[in-house]
């Protein structure tokens, strides 16, 4: 069997998720009405149950993989075995360093591309990550699924994947499908590397992606409440930021320099 015969379907799976969200949201954006004075449409402020369908399905499918003898149990072990053979001794730690890239970009990019002020993005981002962390940690220490490398029993769902997909969905919500597509591509890479490095099962990353998307969507649905409570309008000044990543190949250190101007 070709060593890439298993990797290709996995990449295709996550790219399909990214493209599906990008195309769906691009179509939705084209039909949006004019925005009001605070940058949100009336449809944006209303919670729609349909927004739960895709992330809810991903979480449900991922949960099925935890069940011994379930429909995904054999599949996730087959994926792990093939990735172990493909990986050998090589491990790429980029997933540890890039999981926060979408969140940093979401918070600091601002400018004419942003729909909301810096403080509004800060509150939405904080809300999204609090929701995500609550769901992930509750599931990790309740379900206690063993990791593929047998190191600990907190595999389900993938926290790295949930983190990066939260940022990706925040990027799509705030800056549109173009920027969202780039963020989802990065999120897909992180999710794949979590499996490739033997840290998570296939169902872990599928559920983690669903948790991340759900958390960002719930946070944005709460923004109108914050705007009314704190009397925010769209006249507040924003910030600009420069984000400069750097990597030292000699000692394999990775750093991010962020300069923010208010």
């Amino acid at each position: 069997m070709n060593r890439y015969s298993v990797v290709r379907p996995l990449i295709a799976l996550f790219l399909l998720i990214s493209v599906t969200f990008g195309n769906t949201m691009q179509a939705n954006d084209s039909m949006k009405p004019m925005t009001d004075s605070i940058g949100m449409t009336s449809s944006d402020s209303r919670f729609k149950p349909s927004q739960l369908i895709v992330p809810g399905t991903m979480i449900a499918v991922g949960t099925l993989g935890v069940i011994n003898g379930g429909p995904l149990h054999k599949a996730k072990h087959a994926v792990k075995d093939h990735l172990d053979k493909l990986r050998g001794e090589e491990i790429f730690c980029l997933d540890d360093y890039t999981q926060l890239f979408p969140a940093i970009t979401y918070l600091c990019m601002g400018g004419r591309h942003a729909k909301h002020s810096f403080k509004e993005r800060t509150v939405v981002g904080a809300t999204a990550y609090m929701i995500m962390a609550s769901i992930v940690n509750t599931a990790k220490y309740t379900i206690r699924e063993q990791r593929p490398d047998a190191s600990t029993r907190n595999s389900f769902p993938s926290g790295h994947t949930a983190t990066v997909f939260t940022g990706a969905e925040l990027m799509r919500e705030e800056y549109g499908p173009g920027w969202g597509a780039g963020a989802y591509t990065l999120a897909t890479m992180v999710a794949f590397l979590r499996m490739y490095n033997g840290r998570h099962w296939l169902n872990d990353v599928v559920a983690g992606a669903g948790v991340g998307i759900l958390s960002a969507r719930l946070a944005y649905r709460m923004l109108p409440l914050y705007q009314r409570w704190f009397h925010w309008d769209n006249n507040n000044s924003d910030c600009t930021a420069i984000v400069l990543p750097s990597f030292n190949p000699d000692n394999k250190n990775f750093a991010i320099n962020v300069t923010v101007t208010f």
Side-chain angles (χ1 to χ4, degrees):
M1 179 182 292
N2 187 299
R3 65 189 305 224
Y4 297 105
S5 60
V6 176
V7 177
R8 287 171 180 166
L10 293 174
I11 295 175
L13 171 64
F14 288 108
L15 288 179
L16 177 61
I17 293 171
S18 301
V19 171
T20 299
F21 275 110
N23 290 341
T24 301
M25 300 312 166
Q26 188 171 18
N28 290 343
D29 287 346
S30 66
M31 296 185 289
K32 284 183 179 178
M34 295 295 291
T35 57
D36 58 20
S37 61
I38 60 173
M40 291 194 72
T41 66
S42 58
S43 61
D44 285 333
S45 62
R46 292 196 302 267
F47 178 77
K48 297 178 181 179
S50 60
Q51 295 168 334
L52 299 178
I53 294 176
V54 174
T57 300
M58 296 172 72
I59 295 171
V61 170
T63 304
L64 290 176
V66 179
I67 303 172
N68 289 332
L72 292 182
H73 189 72
K74 291 183 179 180
K76 75 176 187 180
H77 281 276
V79 170
K80 173 194 178 296
D81 292 340
H82 285 294
L83 287 178
D84 286 346
K85 294 177 183 177
L86 175 66
R87 181 182 69 246
E89 298 299 325
E90 297 178 9
I91 293 179
F92 297 97
C93 296
L94 285 176
D95 47 336
D96 290 327
Y97 303 121
T98 57
Q99 59 176 316
L100 290 174
F101 270 20
I104 294 172
T105 306
Y106 163 79
L107 187 63
C108 296
M109 187 166 74
R112 62 184 179 86
H113 299 289
K115 297 177 183 177
H116 303 95
S117 68
F118 176 75
K119 65 183 178 184
E120 289 172 326
R121 298 197 305 276
T122 301
V123 170
V124 170
T127 301
Y129 280 100
M130 284 191 290
I131 294 171
M132 181 273 295
S134 298
I135 297 173
V136 167
N137 286 299
T138 298
K140 277 182 177 293
Y141 297 103
T142 300
I143 297 175
R144 296 187 58 80
E145 182 184 40
Q146 190 175 56
R147 291 183 183 270
D149 60 7
S151 59
T152 55
R153 299 194 66 90
N154 60 351
S155 188
F156 180 87
S158 168
H160 282 64
T161 305
T163 297
V164 73
F165 271 87
T166 300
E169 179 63 9
L170 289 173
M171 284 290 295
R172 185 204 63 76
E173 286 263 11
E174 184 69 24
Y175 300 105
W179 289 100
Y184 266 99
T185 300
L186 177 62
T188 298
M189 181 198 73
V190 170
F192 174 76
L193 286 176
R194 296 308 288 166
M195 294 187 297
Y196 182 86
N197 290 333
R199 297 294 291 162
H200 282 288
W201 306 96
L202 173 62
N203 65 297
D204 296 341
V205 299
V206 171
V211 169
I213 295 165
L214 176 65
S215 301
R217 291 186 177 184
L218 291 177
Y220 261 105
R221 301 293 79 77
M222 294 178 66
L223 179 57
L225 295 177
Y226 297 141
Q227 291 169 325
R228 288 197 294 268
W229 290 344
F230 301 110
H231 306 289
W232 289 341
D233 55 38
N234 212 31
N235 297 321
N236 299 302
S237 60
D238 207 347
C239 76
T240 58
I242 300 175
V243 180
L244 296 175
S246 62
F247 179 73
N248 188 332
D250 295 330
N251 53 21
K252 297 182 179 180
N253 285 337
F254 187 88
I256 300 175
N257 300 310
V258 181
T259 302
V260 180
T261 303
F262 293 91

